[in-house]
Amino acid sequence: MDQTGVSTETPKSPWGSVAPAAPSCSLADVMSEQLARQLDEENNAFPTLTDPGADLLLSGEDPDTTSDLMLAQMLQMQYDREFDTQLRLEERKFNGDSKVSISFENYRMVHPYEDSDSSEDEVDWQDTRDDPYRAEKPQTTPRKGFTGKGKNITTKHDEVMCGRKNTARMDNFAPEVHVGDGLGMDLKLSNQVFNSLKRHCQSEQRRSARLHDKKEHSTAEQAVDPRTRLLMYKMVNAGVLDNINGCISTGKESVVFHADGGSLEEQPVPDEVVLKVFKTTLNEFKNRDRYIKDDYRFKERFSKLNPRKVIRLWAEKEMHNLSRMKKAEIPCPDVVLLKKHILVMSFIGTDHVPAPKLKDAMLGSDDMRSAYCQVLHMMQQLYQQCNLVHADLSEYNMLWHDSKVWLIDVSQSVEPTHPHGLEFLFRDCRNVSTFFQKRGVSEAMNVYDLFNAVTGLNITLRLNEDHVQRRGKKTFPVATDDGGPPLKPDADD
């Protein structure tokens, strides 16, 4: 304070003490060599990646982080390590198991590359070469086939070496074959044991493939494969069917299901229908192709190498045969829809109860005689009007409903011009004649008379000793025409 009582002290700033002003320097001082050397020394005080001070960053120790330059260098080092890690993975992926590898060493940012054991992110668990649980590869002999000299020579047939190789080769077995865990153990598997395991593994794979194929690509009793099930679901979703109730019967060629009819735009759908699902395998009906490959209607489209194509042709063939029979007014199911190998037809029966087969129907003598007359008339219509031969006519493929005989299962039906057409017709006549004769129908004709009645031919047989052809141990009757002399066999016979 001065004499007047006024304080002479400089008032303090509320923001703290004020830094003293920097001394002014001239342009000559700035351009001096001494100041330049001083600044250069200050810059060199911070370590760089090429200086020994960078070892602090690489070693993982905590350096002084008060400087922004040091933080930037640490961050750059971390980026370089991540780049090198990704480059290493790309290098392994590019080379793979090739004997000739390409190195990406020149593209790395940190030299030499130092792998860190403390970082789990740098471990590629998908890389089998670095898999810690993978057993080491056994020692192999060189390309010349042996190692060592004299008594210490070891060839590729060495028992110990072969045993180790066989143990390592068990990793190539299928995953479902459990070979155990021999990690860390020096296991030696003999050639005999390894070959037995290998054959067993191969047989199990073939068996598994057969079971899978049988489950996925073939129909079974009261069951269908996934593709067929999907087609049936689509019919229900489209409104063609209201409900699929269950399986009615199974056979060697198809499975039949009962369903409630829905609606179609083109035609009405019956209240009760059946779905005839043709089996998608030829295992049970192996001679199926003889009925279709010689039929001129499907001869060009037949392919024995594609079973599913054959099945679709089989379903299409039954649809066409039923259409012919319907035009001739022969009692048979009505065709509603054909979808690949599924044929939808009208149901023959009442209230979900199918009509009985002719062999199971309890008929009196009058009904049995009427059934025989109907069958005879239908065989004549089928041959003369429809130009077809049933080829599998028997009491199993005829139903009794409303005092009438209904024909079913006409997928194998062929025309009389088929190379085996008359042979199939003769077999049908034999089945029909045998059945009705056993049931006591006196009007039932023998097989030869029935054959003539159906075809309209007048072929007779003479079973005399002079008119019999003998071929080996088999005896064949000679057919004659119009009651004349026996027909001479061909020269080829």
Side-chain angles (χ1 to χ4, degrees):
M1 300 177 69
D2 57 3
Q3 297 178 357
T4 61
V6 178
S7 176
T8 58
E9 295 180 359
T10 304
K12 295 181 179 181
S13 175
W15 309 107
S17 61
V18 179
S24 59
C25 59
S26 62
L27 181 61
D29 295 336
V30 173
M31 299 299 295
S32 64
E33 293 293 337
Q34 183 179 2
L35 181 60
R37 286 193 298 269
Q38 181 181 358
L39 293 177
D40 185 63
E41 292 176 358
E42 292 178 357
N43 291 334
N44 293 334
F46 300 100
T48 60
L49 295 177
T50 58
D51 291 339
D55 295 339
L56 296 175
L57 300 177
L58 297 175
S59 61
E61 299 180 3
D62 294 335
D64 185 11
T65 59
T66 58
S67 173
D68 293 340
L69 179 60
M70 180 62 68
L71 291 176
Q73 290 177 348
M74 293 174 62
L75 186 60
Q76 183 64 40
M77 177 63 70
Q78 183 66 25
Y79 287 160
D80 292 343
R81 284 188 173 183
E82 293 179 359
F83 175 80
D84 290 350
T85 301
Q86 184 65 27
L87 187 66
R88 179 171 61 93
L89 299 179
E90 292 293 336
E91 179 183 352
R92 291 184 177 181
K93 182 179 179 181
F94 181 81
N95 293 326
D97 296 333
S98 176
K99 295 182 179 179
V100 179
S101 60
I102 298 177
S103 175
F104 294 172
E105 182 71 25
N106 295 334
Y107 297 97
R108 289 175 179 170
M109 303 300 296
V110 182
H111 299 278
Y113 182 79
E114 297 181 3
D115 197 0
S116 177
D117 296 335
S118 61
S119 177
E120 296 182 357
D121 297 336
E122 298 179 359
V123 179
D124 185 13
W125 297 106
Q126 301 298 328
D127 194 348
T128 56
R129 291 181 295 179
D130 287 346
D131 189 357
Y133 298 101
R134 183 178 179 87
E136 296 182 358
K137 293 184 178 180
Q139 298 179 355
T140 58
T141 55
R143 297 183 63 179
K144 59 184 179 180
F146 64 93
T147 57
K149 295 181 180 180
K151 297 181 179 180
N152 298 327
I153 190 171
T154 302
T155 65
K156 62 181 180 180
H157 303 291
D158 184 68
E159 183 178 358
V160 176
M161 187 172 297
C162 288
R164 291 173 179 170
K165 285 183 180 180
N166 294 335
T167 304
R169 290 164 62 187
M170 285 197 304
D171 295 339
N172 299 328
F173 287 170
E176 57 270 13
V177 179
H178 303 286
V179 296
D181 185 9
L183 184 63
M185 291 183 281
D186 188 14
L187 300 179
K188 304 176 186 63
L189 204 64
S190 64
N191 292 336
Q192 182 179 2
V193 176
F194 175 78
N195 292 333
S196 300
L197 291 176
K198 184 178 179 180
R199 287 193 296 267
H200 174 72
C201 179
Q202 293 174 352
S203 63
E204 286 296 319
Q205 286 181 321
R206 290 193 296 265
R207 185 182 66 86
S208 178
R210 287 195 301 268
L211 292 178
H212 177 77
D213 184 75
K214 183 177 181 181
K215 179 180 179 181
E216 295 294 330
H217 301 289
S218 64
T219 55
E221 185 177 358
Q222 299 183 2
V224 293
D225 59 326
R227 294 184 182 181
T228 305
R229 192 180 304 114
L230 180 60
L231 291 176
M232 297 168 67
Y233 288 159
K234 288 183 178 180
M235 291 183 184
V236 176
N237 294 334
V240 180
L241 306 176
D242 288 341
N243 187 29
I244 300 178
N245 301 318
C247 180
I248 297 178
S249 64
T250 60
K252 62 181 180 180
E253 65 174 5
S254 63
V255 182
V256 182
F257 294 88
H258 181 274
D260 297 330
S263 60
L264 275 177
E265 297 180 358
E266 298 83 2
Q267 60 181 0
V269 179
D271 296 335
E272 294 183 79
V273 296
V274 294
L275 279 73
K276 187 171 183 179
V277 181
F278 289 86
K279 293 186 176 181
T280 54
T281 179
L282 302 179
N283 293 336
E284 299 186 22
F285 197 0
K286 296 182 180 180
N287 60 344
R288 191 193 302 259
D289 56 346
R290 68 180 299 205
Y291 294 90
I292 191 173
K293 70 177 182 179
D294 293 326
D295 195 330
Y296 75 94
R297 297 175 295 173
F298 308 95
K299 188 173 183 179
E300 296 182 356
R301 300 167 55 190
F302 176 77
S303 176
K304 190 174 182 180
L305 301 179
N306 192 342
R308 287 191 175 271
K309 186 177 179 180
V310 175
I311 300 304
R312 294 181 184 179
L313 290 180
W314 198 256
E316 182 181 348
K317 186 178 180 182
E318 178 159 2
M319 181 191 68
H320 290 306
N321 292 339
L322 288 175
S323 300
R324 285 193 187 184
M325 296 169 60
K326 205 64 183 177
K327 291 181 181 179
E329 298 183 355
I330 298 177
C332 64
D334 297 329
V335 178
V336 178
L337 179 66
L338 174 63
K339 198 68 173 179
K340 293 185 178 179
H341 60 282
I342 300 179
L343 183 62
V344 182
M345 301 176 292
S346 61
F347 177 70
I348 302 177
T350 54
D351 297 334
H352 298 194
V353 179
K357 298 178 182 179
L358 196 59
K359 74 178 187 67
D360 299 327
M362 306 299 295
L363 303 180
S365 58
D366 296 336
D367 291 337
M368 188 61 67
R369 189 179 301 106
S370 174
Y372 174 74
C373 297
Q374 293 181 33
V375 171
L376 176 59
H377 181 63
M378 284 190 297
M379 292 179 67
Q380 293 175 344
Q381 285 182 301
L382 196 65
Y383 183 86
Q384 299 173 7
Q385 299 181 21
C386 301
N387 195 28
L388 287 175
V389 174
H390 192 282
D392 193 23
L393 188 62
S394 65
E395 61 273 17
Y396 295 89
N397 292 332
M398 293 184 287
L399 305 181
W400 180 259
H401 179 62
D402 291 340
S403 300
K404 291 193 302 182
V405 178
W406 298 69
L407 292 183
I408 60 173
D409 293 341
V410 293
S411 57
Q412 71 286 333
S413 299
V414 297
E415 294 192 350
T417 55
H418 189 276
H420 302 280
L422 296 181
E423 175 187 349
F424 296 151
L425 178 60
F426 186 83
R427 186 176 60 188
D428 293 345
C429 295
R430 182 178 56 195
N431 295 336
V432 172
S433 177
T434 303
F435 171 74
F436 284 102
Q437 286 179 357
K438 289 183 178 180
R439 291 301 176 96
V441 179
S442 58
E443 292 83 357
M445 296 180 287
N446 58 41
V447 57
Y448 306 106
D449 295 339
L450 182 60
F451 183 86
N452 290 333
V454 172
T455 59
L457 302 177
N458 188 13
I459 298 178
T460 58
L461 296 175
R462 294 183 180 180
L463 299 181
N464 299 330
E465 294 182 359
D466 298 337
H467 304 144
V468 172
Q469 300 179 28
R470 290 183 173 85
R471 303 176 185 175
K473 296 183 179 179
K474 296 183 178 180
T475 302
F476 299 89
V478 181
T480 61
D481 190 10
D482 297 333
L487 298 178
K488 296 183 179 180
D490 296 335
D492 296 338
D493 297 338

